[in-house]
Amino acid sequence: MCFSECGRAVIGALDTDTQRPRLVPNLHLKLFVAGDSPRSREAAANLMRMCAELLDEPTQVETVDVLLDPDAADEYRILTTPTVVRDGPAPRRRVTGDLRDAAQVLAALALYPSSRSA
């Protein structure tokens, strides 16, 4: 497993009173990959770029190689790679693929870009 910081963070659900996005505390993402393949590296680079460019607060990203840690893949029910799981805050959300389309990835993970990136 590998931990890294995106350097910026995330905006989450809408505040029910103001209907404006509110910060999601302690955002933790897990990126499941299969080995050091070009597809795995591309997904990791896309995720890090997305965090740095579109989100506002520090985000913890953990990379899990399912070839080295099959138990983690089983625990999270990972069937395909690369897959990103929003591990916290609850509820867990996931998206699978090369992570090129930032809007689709953020929507699948129920995250919203910061206002500075709009």
Side-chain angles (χ1 to χ4, degrees):
M1 281 186 253
C2 169
F3 291 93
S4 61
E5 292 289 327
C6 280
R8 307 223 175 257
V10 71
I11 301 231
L14 291 178
D15 185 295
T16 55
D17 296 329
T18 65
Q19 293 302 306
R20 299 177 94 176
R22 60 182 161 83
L23 291 176
V24 173
N26 305 317
L27 181 66
H28 182 228
L29 303 175
K30 285 191 179 192
L31 173 62
F32 290 86
V33 297
D36 186 30
S37 69
R39 185 172 166 92
S40 297
R41 288 191 302 273
E42 178 184 15
N46 288 338
L47 182 60
M48 297 305 281
R49 176 187 44 77
M50 197 178 320
C51 288
E53 293 176 3
L54 300 177
L55 304 175
D56 277 338
E57 294 189 17
T59 302
Q60 183 180 15
V61 177
E62 178 182 352
T63 302
V64 180
D65 186 335
V66 299
L67 301 176
L68 300 175
D69 192 357
D71 292 337
D74 188 46
E75 176 186 345
Y76 282 83
R77 300 178 191 260
I78 302 300
L79 301 175
T80 61
T81 60
T83 294
V84 175
V85 175
R86 186 186 80 186
D87 203 29
R92 274 189 189 159
R93 304 283 306 247
R94 70 179 60 222
V95 63
T96 299
D98 60 19
L99 313 177
R100 277 187 210 155
D101 188 332
Q104 285 186 347
V105 172
L106 294 176
L109 296 175
L111 304 174
Y112 303 95
S114 67
S115 57
R116 70 180 167 80
S117 63

